[in-house]
Amino acid sequence: MREQSLSGSWHIRQVGGDEWITGAVPGDVHTALLAAGRIPDPYVGDNEKQLLWVSETDWEYRRMFTPDPLVLNEEKVYLVCDGLDTLADVYLNGKHLAHTDNMYRQYSFEVKNLLKEGENEIRVVFGAPLTFTNQKQKEMPMIGGGDILGGPHLRKAPYHFGWDWGPRLPPIGIWKDVRLEAYSAARMSDVHLRQKSENGKVTVWVEVEIAEWTTGDRKLQLRITSPDGEVQETVVSVKESKSAAVEIENPQLWWPNGYGEQPLYQVEVALLVGRKALDQRHYQIGLRTVEIRQQPDQWGESFTFVINGVPIFAKGADWIPADYFTTRISDELMEGLLRSSVQAHMNMLRVWGGGLYEEDRFYDLCDRYGILVWQDFTFACGIYPADEAFHANVREEAIQNVRRLRHHTSLAMWCGNNEMEQGWVEWGWNKPQDADNQRLKAGYDRMFHHMLPEVVAANDPDHFYWPSSASSNIAFSEPSSQARGDCHYWDVWHGRKPFTAYRSQFPRFMSEFGFQALPPFETIKTFAEPKDWNMTSYIMEHHQRSGSGNGLMIGQMTDTFRMPRDFASLVYLSMILQAEGIRYGVEHWRRNMNRVSGTLIWQLNDCWQVASWASLDYFGRWKALHYAAKRFYEPLMLSVEDTNTVMAVHVTSDLMTATKAQVKWRLEELDGKVLEQGEQAVTAAPLADTPVVTLDFAAKVTDANKRRTIFVAELWQGDRLLTSKVSLFAANKHLELVDPELKVVVHEEQGQLIFEVTAKTLARFVELSVEGADLVFSDNYFDIPAGQTVSVMATMPRRWNENRVRKATRVRSLYQSY
Ligand code: BMA
C-alpha cells in the first residue's frame, strides 16, 4: 500500500474569474482570501457583514501534481477526498469524477487509468452553498437549522448558517485531506476493532472486510503492544477467518479523568502476503467497558454512565467547533482546550449536533486525557427533508463516521440530534392537519428511530444509541421529562428565571444548561475599539447573537451586584455572575447525585470572539466560570446549601474509597470577628453525597446584621486546607463591603510563580492578572475571608522574570467594581 498526499498549496479562483490566489488544503476560501489580503478579518468589528458574497459565489480549486512512480506501479489507485464542503464537482485531467453534496462524507474514486506520468491536474469546482439553500428554501420552506434559513436542505454543518453564538459566513472548500491511495492484490475495505471484558481478562479482536482482485495466500495480523511494551500477536489465514483476536491477561484498565489512569495499548492490524503488508492500520486504545444504566427507581428511570462497572457522575460541557473556520484550528488550540477541560476535572464532553463529527485528533486527545465523548449525529434544531435521496445520503454519512470513530475508547454513545424531538413535541412543529408536515414528521421518525439506530447496531453494536438530546427515549413523548433520559434546562437564561430556579430541577442527566458572560477584556480588545467599549454599542451587540442577551445579563446582574463603575468592571461582573449561577446549579445537582447522574454545561468553548455561555473563550482564555468549574467539579466537593439562615454543609465525593476529612465552620463578620464556630469530622462516602451538618443561625443573624455577616466553611485533611466556601445571608450587592486592601506578594520557585494574596476584610471574587501575559492560575476569582492569605500558582511566561511579573500584577475584587 502506498499513499501520496495532495494536500498543501492549491490555487483558488472565482469560477469565471481570471485571477488565482494560493490557498491551503485542508482549508477554505475565506481563510485563503484573508491570507491573500483580499478580505478584512471577518471576526473584527462588523466585517462579517460585508462578506456574505463569498458564500454566494462559485469557487474553483486547482493543483498540478506528479504521481509518485511507486504509486502508479500499484494495481489500483484511488483518489480519496476526506471532506469537500459541500457542493463539489471533482475533475481529474479534465474528466468529471463526481458531483458531491455532503461535507461529512469521504469520497473515493478509482483513478488508475486516468493518471499519467508527469504532470496531472486535479480541479474541484464548488457551487455557492447559499444560492443552493436559498433556492431550495423557496421551493420547500423548512423550519430552523440556523439563522440563515434553508440550511437543512444541505448536508453541511448547521452552525455554518449562523447560531446564537456564531457568525454567518458559510465556508466553502476542501476542508480535509486529499490523497492518492494505491494497492496491489487486496486491501482492507473495513476494519472493526472491538473489545470484550470477561473474568478479569480483555479480549481485543478485529473483524475485517477484504477487497481482493487476485487470489493468493493472505494473512491477517493483529499485534498489540501494552503500555509497558509487552507485545502479543495473532496471525490467521484470511481464507479461514476474517477475524483475529488477542487475549490480554492482566489488563490495565482505562478510566475517565478523575477515576484512574488512561493506559493506552498500541494496535497494529495488517493484511500480509508473506512478510509484506498489502494494507495496514494503527490504533491506540484503552481497555474499558462502557454502558448507560437505565434502571427503574423511585423517581422513574436512571440515566447513568457506567465505566468498568463504576457509576460515573458525568462532569463536563458541550463542545462546539473550536473555530468557525475549523480548518485553521491548530493542534495547540485543540489540545489546550482539552487540557483545560481536564484541569477543571471534566470527564465528559458532548460533541453537539449542530457542529461536526470531529477530527480524529480530537478523539485521540480525549482517549489520552480520559474524556468521555457523547457524540451527536450532526442535526440540530430544524426540520430536515424526508425524501429517499436525502435519507440515503445521511445513511452513507452515518456509516462512514460510525466506522471512523467506533474504536475510540473515549466514545461513550451516539445520539441522533440536538433538540429536534423537542421541536416536534414542544415547539409547535407538529401540525396534525398538514399532510406535508406529517410526511416530514414521519421522515424524522424513520431517520432517528429506525435508520440511525440500525446503522449503529450494524456497524458499532458496542455503543449505545440515544434518539435525541433531550429525550426520554419514548418516541415523541415528554423529551424534557425529569423522570427519564436527559434534559436541557433553559428557563434560567432564555426564560429569565433567577439562578435559584436550578434547585427546582432534578433531571436524571442534565446535558445542557448555561448562562452567558462577556469574554475577557483582552479578548474584547481584539474585535472592538475603545469607542465601542460599552455593552450596548453597535459592535458589542454585533458580537452578541442571543437576541437581547446583553439585557438578560444586565437583568440578572442587577439582582446580584451593584451597578458597575465602568466597562472593565462590567466585563468582570458578567464573568463572576456566570460563574456563580452555574456553581449554584452544579453544586445542587452533585449533592443530588443519587438521582442526577451528570451535568454538561452549555458550552465549553467559542468559535470566535463573542458574548456567550462558554467557560473558555475563542483564544482558550479561562473565564471566571472555568475557574469555578475547577472548584465545583473537584472529586471531593465541599458545598453549602444555603436557605435563608439555614446552612447545610455537604461533602460530595466522586472518589472510589471512603475519605476522612474535617469540616471547620465559622459565622463571622466581614472584618473577621467570629460570632460562632465549630468543627465536624466527616467520612465522605465513596461515589455519594454526605451531609455533614445543618446549622440554623436564625438567633444570630437578623435583618440588622445580615449584610455584614457571612458563613465560612472549610474542608481540611490533617493540617491541609483543601477548600473553603463563603456563603451569604444577603445579596452580594447589599453586603457592607469595605476596601479589603488586597496585598499581593509574588515570588518564583523553579519556574512556578507563587502569588500570595492577603485581604484585611472579606474580599469576594478576587481576580488576579498579569498585564501583558496570558496566565492560567491554579485558582482565580476566589474569596478571601478577613485576615486570610490565599496562595495561587502560575507558570512563568517565557522571557519574563519575577520582577517584571511583580510590576505587571493586578488584583481586584467585588469591592472595586462599583
Ligand atoms: C441549546 C443548544 C444550542 C444553543 C444553546 C443556547 O439549545 O442546543 O442550540 O446555542 O441552547 O441557546
Side-chain angles (χ1 to χ4, degrees):
M1 181 224 177
R2 306 220 171 248
E3 266 186 34
Q4 179 177 355
S5 173
L6 299 180
S7 294
S9 188
W10 285 53
H11 295 283
I12 305 174
R13 70 170 173 188
Q14 282 189 31
V15 168
D18 41 30
E19 200 199 350
W20 294 92
I21 59 164
T22 53
V25 167
D28 59 78
V29 171
H30 288 83
T31 55
L33 290 170
L34 181 64
R38 301 304 161 91
I39 58 167
D41 186 334
Y43 295 177
V44 172
D46 68 345
N47 290 342
E48 174 198 359
K49 283 191 169 173
Q50 317 160 20
L51 296 174
L52 215 52
W53 66 271
V54 179
S55 319
E56 292 164 347
T57 303
D58 301 336
W59 295 89
E60 179 176 356
Y61 273 63
R62 174 175 186 262
R63 92 164 254 181
M64 305 300 291
F65 67 97
T66 304
D68 179 343
L70 294 172
V71 165
L72 284 183
N73 266 345
E74 302 273 344
E75 293 165 9
K76 286 198 192 252
V77 184
Y78 299 87
L79 171 67
V80 182
C81 304
D82 280 343
L84 302 171
D85 181 9
T86 293
L87 294 163
D89 287 284
V90 185
Y91 299 87
L92 183 63
N93 294 329
K95 168 104 171 56
H96 185 243
L97 297 181
H99 175 74
T100 74
D101 58 0
N102 187 333
M103 74 173 279
Y104 299 117
R105 280 173 61 179
Q106 180 196 65
Y107 294 92
S108 175
F109 315 102
E110 235 190 283
V111 294
K112 168 116 174 163
N113 54 11
L114 291 177
L115 289 170
K116 51 188 188 204
E117 283 172 28
E119 289 267 276
N120 287 251
E121 181 203 58
I122 177 169
R123 280 197 313 131
V124 184
V125 180
F126 289 96
L130 286 186
T131 312
F132 177 88
T133 52
N134 288 342
Q135 181 56 36
K136 284 282 185 186
Q137 184 69 5
K138 260 189 225 142
E139 290 162 16
M140 183 170 58
M142 289 285 188
I143 291 179
D147 296 325
I148 307 174
L149 292 178
H153 290 288
L154 196 54
R155 288 308 294 142
K156 177 168 174 59
Y159 84 97
H160 283 173
F161 296 88
W163 220 260
D164 56 4
W165 37 257
R168 304 170 191 177
L169 299 156
I172 298 155
I174 304 178
W175 76 294
K176 290 191 169 187
D177 274 324
V178 182
R179 67 184 166 278
L180 296 177
E181 282 182 13
Y183 303 86
S184 289
R187 61 188 270 262
M188 294 187 285
S189 49
D190 185 41
V191 180
H192 189 182
L193 191 64
R194 303 179 66 180
Q195 56 172 289
K196 193 183 179 78
S197 165
E198 238 166 10
N199 310 323
K201 292 180 199 160
V202 175
T203 305
V204 175
W205 80 101
V206 65
E207 295 164 5
V208 300
E209 280 170 22
I210 294 173
E212 43 190 353
W213 46 95
T214 60
T215 49
D217 188 14
R218 283 149 205 164
K219 300 220 155 39
L220 175 64
Q221 180 192 46
L222 172 66
R223 173 200 279 255
I224 300 186
T225 310
S226 77
D228 325 314
E230 196 184 310
V231 179
Q232 277 179 275
E233 188 182 289
T234 301
V235 181
V236 299
S237 164
V238 166
K239 281 208 186 89
E240 277 149 36
S241 175
K242 303 273 188 304
S243 168
V246 160
E247 193 171 86
I248 300 172
E249 289 275 347
N250 294 303
Q252 301 179 39
L253 295 184
W254 180 98
W255 290 96
N257 177 36
Y259 291 82
E261 301 288 309
Q262 294 79 40
L264 294 176
Y265 288 70
Q266 309 299 321
V267 181
E268 318 283 343
V269 181
L271 180 64
L272 303 174
V273 164
R275 294 179 63 186
K276 184 178 165 228
L278 297 174
D279 194 1
Q280 57 195 334
R281 305 272 197 288
H282 173 255
Y283 303 92
Q284 184 166 275
I285 59 163
L287 307 179
R288 54 99 185 89
T289 60
V290 52
E291 58 181 299
I292 282 95
R293 193 173 284 167
Q294 292 170 273
Q295 255 168 17
D297 60 19
Q298 68 201 100
W299 302 290
E301 195 176 278
S302 62
F303 188 91
T304 309
F305 288 84
V306 177
I307 306 293
N308 301 328
V310 175
I312 301 294
F313 186 91
K315 296 182 288 199
D318 294 273
W319 169 274
I320 64 165
D323 192 319
Y324 182 85
F325 297 112
T326 53
T327 57
R328 63 175 175 184
I329 299 168
S330 65
D331 288 349
E332 200 187 353
L333 175 66
M334 184 74 101
E335 180 156 12
L337 293 169
L338 295 172
R339 199 185 313 110
S340 293
S341 312
V342 161
Q343 284 168 351
H345 308 290
M346 293 187 181
N347 57 32
M348 183 179 287
L349 292 174
R350 167 171 168 249
V351 179
W352 168 75
L356 308 172
Y357 309 98
E358 276 293 337
E359 302 164 65
D360 297 343
R361 61 178 169 165
F362 173 86
Y363 304 93
D364 286 339
L365 287 163
C366 291
D367 294 343
R368 267 179 39 211
Y369 281 116
I371 299 174
L372 296 167
V373 177
W374 168 319
Q375 179 68 51
D376 285 359
F377 286 93
T378 52
F379 301 86
C381 304
I383 297 183
Y384 285 77
D387 55 276
E388 284 298 332
F390 189 85
H391 279 205
N393 194 356
V394 168
R395 190 166 180 281
E396 187 52 34
E397 157 197 332
I399 291 172
Q400 285 188 6
N401 284 287
V402 167
R403 288 181 170 200
R404 179 168 68 90
L405 302 178
R406 63 191 170 189
H407 70 278
H408 282 284
T409 310
S410 51
L411 182 68
M413 68 181 281
W414 294 101
C415 171
N417 64 68
N418 177 70
E419 295 186 345
M420 283 158 53
E421 193 164 340
Q422 280 174 273
W424 285 106
V425 180
E426 296 172 359
W427 303 348
W429 291 0
N430 189 31
K431 308 227 161 36
Q433 311 308 330
D434 178 337
D436 228 23
N437 176 269
Q438 291 306 296
R439 183 180 57 77
L440 294 168
K441 187 178 176 203
Y444 176 95
D445 187 49
R446 189 148 66 89
M447 192 137 97
F448 298 104
H449 300 138
H450 298 279
M451 185 175 86
L452 290 177
E454 281 161 22
V455 165
V456 172
N459 294 279
D460 187 14
D462 305 323
H463 284 106
F464 174 86
Y465 174 85
W466 187 248
S468 181
S469 183
S471 164
S472 65
N473 202 20
I474 302 170
F476 302 114
S477 164
E478 293 188 83
S480 299
S481 162
Q482 301 231 337
R484 54 176 53 78
D486 69 320
C487 269
H488 294 186
Y489 183 67
W490 282 105
D491 281 4
V492 175
W493 188 254
H494 292 298
R496 284 173 183 263
K497 286 200 178 154
F499 293 124
T500 46
Y502 284 143
R503 282 203 191 150
S504 67
Q505 300 300 303
F506 294 89
R508 308 319 305 268
F509 191 99
M510 187 69 103
S511 41
E512 274 189 23
F513 65 105
F515 195 86
Q516 278 201 0
L518 294 174
F521 207 164
E522 284 311 306
T523 297
I524 291 174
K525 289 175 188 167
T526 66
F527 69 82
E529 292 174 29
K531 67 176 168 56
D532 305 313
W533 292 351
N534 183 302
M535 205 191 208
T536 49
S537 72
Y538 163 64
I539 292 298
M540 288 305 291
E541 290 194 345
H542 185 73
H543 288 250
Q544 163 61 268
R545 295 300 161 93
S546 178
S548 49
N550 288 344
L552 285 176
M553 265 187 267
I554 295 287
Q556 300 256 12
M557 197 181 283
T558 56
D559 287 349
T560 308
F561 300 126
R562 299 189 191 185
M563 292 303 283
R565 70 193 321 169
D566 55 17
F567 184 64
S569 303
L570 183 132
V571 173
Y572 159 82
L573 288 184
S574 83
M575 289 199 291
I576 59 177
L577 180 70
Q578 176 194 35
E580 273 294 277
I582 302 305
R583 173 193 65 80
Y584 190 87
V586 171
E587 287 182 351
H588 159 70
W589 293 309
R590 284 193 67 188
R591 283 194 296 267
N592 289 281
M593 66 182 287
N594 57 339
R595 182 168 173 183
V596 182
S597 293
T599 54
L600 304 180
I601 301 165
W602 183 268
Q603 75 221 58
L604 181 76
N605 55 328
D606 275 333
C607 67
W608 71 320
Q609 306 95 312
V610 66
S612 86
W613 304 265
S615 62
L616 299 171
D617 82 359
Y618 173 57
F619 301 103
R621 291 193 170 114
W622 289 37
K623 290 161 81 168
L625 171 58
H626 207 75
Y627 286 103
K630 191 177 175 190
R631 296 186 293 265
F632 62 62
Y633 277 161
E634 271 277 0
L636 204 60
M637 177 189 78
L638 173 73
S639 74
V640 177
E641 187 181 2
D642 50 348
T643 317
N644 302 318
T645 56
V646 179
M647 299 285 161
V649 183
H650 291 245
V651 176
T652 310
S653 175
D654 291 330
L655 301 173
M656 287 197 264
T657 51
T659 311
K660 283 193 166 44
Q662 196 77 8
V663 167
K664 298 183 186 175
W665 58 264
R666 302 187 301 276
L667 184 72
E668 68 177 35
E669 300 204 332
L670 300 179
D671 62 4
K673 187 174 146 212
V674 175
L675 306 179
E676 198 179 330
Q677 59 187 324
E679 236 181 274
Q680 176 82 43
V682 55
T683 302
L687 308 173
D689 176 73
T690 304
V692 181
V693 60
T694 298
L695 303 152
D696 188 350
F697 296 110
K700 288 243 161 73
V701 180
T702 63
D703 192 52
N705 71 354
K706 70 177 184 189
R707 285 169 292 279
R708 60 169 182 275
T709 308
I710 60 170
F711 177 72
V712 183
E714 296 171 341
L715 188 65
W716 290 80
Q717 261 179 337
D719 56 3
R720 210 160 68 90
L721 174 63
L722 300 182
T723 176
S724 84
K725 292 268 131 153
V726 169
S727 306
L728 309 182
F729 299 92
N732 276 289
K733 61 185 173 182
H734 294 155
L735 285 182
E736 295 166 13
L737 293 172
V738 294
D739 186 353
E741 296 175 35
L742 291 166
K743 298 251 168 350
V744 190
V745 178
V746 186
H747 67 276
E748 187 203 342
E749 268 174 39
Q750 293 161 348
Q752 283 294 306
L753 287 163
I754 299 173
F755 300 79
E756 290 176 295
V757 196
T758 307
K760 198 166 165 200
T761 56
L762 174 72
R764 291 229 78 188
F765 312 114
V766 176
E767 180 197 73
L768 268 177
S769 58
V770 173
E771 219 172 88
D774 251 329
L775 296 190
V776 174
F777 296 89
S778 56
D779 195 7
N780 213 348
Y781 304 95
F782 46 83
D783 294 325
I784 313 180
Q788 311 246 331
T789 299
V790 170
S791 292
V792 301
M793 292 188 306
T795 304
M796 174 76 85
R798 243 183 287 160
R799 288 188 290 278
W800 281 60
N801 59 32
E802 202 179 82
N803 213 18
R804 184 168 167 202
V805 172
R806 201 167 285 142
K807 280 196 201 128
T809 298
R810 307 280 175 270
V811 65
R812 67 169 151 189
S813 69
L814 185 59
Y815 175 79
Q816 279 80 24
S817 73
Y818 50 87

mmCIF file of all heavy atoms in Angstrom, residues 5 32 54 188 221 246 276 379 428 536 726 785-786:
data_model
loop_
_atom_site.group_PDB
_atom_site.id
_atom_site.type_symbol
_atom_site.label_atom_id
_atom_site.label_comp_id
_atom_site.label_asym_id
_atom_site.label_seq_id
_atom_site.Cartn_x
_atom_site.Cartn_y
_atom_site.Cartn_z
ATOM 1 N N SER A 5 0.174 12.328 -0.613
ATOM 2 C CA SER A 5 -0.706 13.420 -0.204
ATOM 3 C C SER A 5 -0.851 14.446 -1.330
ATOM 4 O O SER A 5 0.114 14.779 -2.007
ATOM 5 C CB SER A 5 -0.128 14.108 1.025
ATOM 6 O OG SER A 5 -0.904 15.250 1.307
ATOM 7 N N ALA A 32 -8.371 31.574 2.911
ATOM 8 C CA ALA A 32 -7.414 31.808 1.818
ATOM 9 C C ALA A 32 -7.480 33.267 1.376
ATOM 10 O O ALA A 32 -6.449 33.923 1.173
ATOM 11 C CB ALA A 32 -7.716 30.881 0.648
ATOM 12 N N VAL A 54 -19.091 35.835 -0.423
ATOM 13 C CA VAL A 54 -18.175 34.698 -0.626
ATOM 14 C C VAL A 54 -18.973 33.395 -0.711
ATOM 15 O O VAL A 54 -18.672 32.520 -1.532
ATOM 16 C CB VAL A 54 -17.130 34.626 0.506
ATOM 17 C CG1 VAL A 54 -16.189 33.446 0.311
ATOM 18 C CG2 VAL A 54 -16.330 35.924 0.588
ATOM 19 N N MET A 188 -7.874 -3.809 2.826
ATOM 20 C CA MET A 188 -8.929 -3.964 3.829
ATOM 21 C C MET A 188 -9.938 -2.838 3.597
ATOM 22 O O MET A 188 -9.601 -1.669 3.740
ATOM 23 C CB MET A 188 -8.329 -3.872 5.229
ATOM 24 C CG MET A 188 -7.378 -5.025 5.541
ATOM 25 S SD MET A 188 -6.827 -5.042 7.255
ATOM 26 C CE MET A 188 -5.634 -3.714 7.272
ATOM 27 N N GLN A 221 -2.998 -10.006 10.439
ATOM 28 C CA GLN A 221 -2.164 -9.934 11.637
ATOM 29 C C GLN A 221 -2.718 -8.886 12.605
ATOM 30 O O GLN A 221 -3.032 -7.764 12.202
ATOM 31 C CB GLN A 221 -0.742 -9.536 11.229
ATOM 32 C CG GLN A 221 0.222 -9.426 12.392
ATOM 33 C CD GLN A 221 1.519 -8.759 11.970
ATOM 34 O OE1 GLN A 221 1.491 -7.735 11.287
ATOM 35 N NE2 GLN A 221 2.644 -9.328 12.354
ATOM 36 N N VAL A 246 -6.760 -11.275 20.302
ATOM 37 C CA VAL A 246 -5.675 -11.382 21.285
ATOM 38 C C VAL A 246 -6.305 -11.278 22.666
ATOM 39 O O VAL A 246 -7.174 -10.432 22.900
ATOM 40 C CB VAL A 246 -4.627 -10.257 21.073
ATOM 41 C CG1 VAL A 246 -3.810 -10.046 22.331
ATOM 42 C CG2 VAL A 246 -3.714 -10.563 19.897
ATOM 43 N N LYS A 276 5.160 -9.143 3.605
ATOM 44 C CA LYS A 276 4.850 -7.839 3.028
ATOM 45 C C LYS A 276 3.410 -7.416 3.381
ATOM 46 O O LYS A 276 2.478 -8.214 3.267
ATOM 47 C CB LYS A 276 4.990 -7.944 1.505
ATOM 48 C CG LYS A 276 4.801 -6.646 0.802
ATOM 49 C CD LYS A 276 4.999 -6.756 -0.699
ATOM 50 C CE LYS A 276 4.448 -5.520 -1.329
ATOM 51 N NZ LYS A 276 3.589 -5.713 -2.451
ATOM 52 N N PHE A 379 -27.224 16.980 13.382
ATOM 53 C CA PHE A 379 -28.523 17.575 13.062
ATOM 54 C C PHE A 379 -28.928 18.418 14.261
ATOM 55 O O PHE A 379 -28.800 17.950 15.396
ATOM 56 C CB PHE A 379 -29.577 16.492 12.848
ATOM 57 C CG PHE A 379 -29.244 15.525 11.748
ATOM 58 C CD1 PHE A 379 -28.464 14.411 12.006
ATOM 59 C CD2 PHE A 379 -29.684 15.750 10.450
ATOM 60 C CE1 PHE A 379 -28.128 13.528 10.996
ATOM 61 C CE2 PHE A 379 -29.352 14.870 9.428
ATOM 62 C CZ PHE A 379 -28.570 13.759 9.695
ATOM 63 N N GLY A 428 -44.075 23.374 18.758
ATOM 64 C CA GLY A 428 -45.151 23.616 17.799
ATOM 65 C C GLY A 428 -44.843 23.237 16.364
ATOM 66 O O GLY A 428 -45.518 23.694 15.434
ATOM 67 N N THR A 536 -23.903 48.178 25.164
ATOM 68 C CA THR A 536 -24.964 48.308 24.165
ATOM 69 C C THR A 536 -24.492 49.053 22.916
ATOM 70 O O THR A 536 -25.305 49.515 22.113
ATOM 71 C CB THR A 536 -26.216 48.996 24.764
ATOM 72 O OG1 THR A 536 -25.794 50.175 25.447
ATOM 73 C CG2 THR A 536 -26.934 48.078 25.726
ATOM 74 N N VAL A 726 -17.503 30.555 51.026
ATOM 75 C CA VAL A 726 -18.159 31.668 51.715
ATOM 76 C C VAL A 726 -19.632 31.669 51.301
ATOM 77 O O VAL A 726 -19.939 31.619 50.111
ATOM 78 C CB VAL A 726 -17.496 33.013 51.325
ATOM 79 C CG1 VAL A 726 -18.334 34.192 51.805
ATOM 80 C CG2 VAL A 726 -16.082 33.088 51.887
ATOM 81 N N PRO A 785 -11.557 35.394 53.069
ATOM 82 C CA PRO A 785 -12.142 35.943 54.295
ATOM 83 C C PRO A 785 -11.146 36.875 54.994
ATOM 84 O O PRO A 785 -9.938 36.800 54.735
ATOM 85 C CB PRO A 785 -12.422 34.687 55.142
ATOM 86 C CG PRO A 785 -12.420 33.544 54.176
ATOM 87 C CD PRO A 785 -11.458 33.935 53.090
ATOM 88 N N ALA A 786 -11.640 37.712 55.866
ATOM 89 C CA ALA A 786 -10.817 38.730 56.523
ATOM 90 C C ALA A 786 -9.576 38.139 57.181
ATOM 91 O O ALA A 786 -9.633 37.106 57.838
ATOM 92 C CB ALA A 786 -11.656 39.455 57.586
#
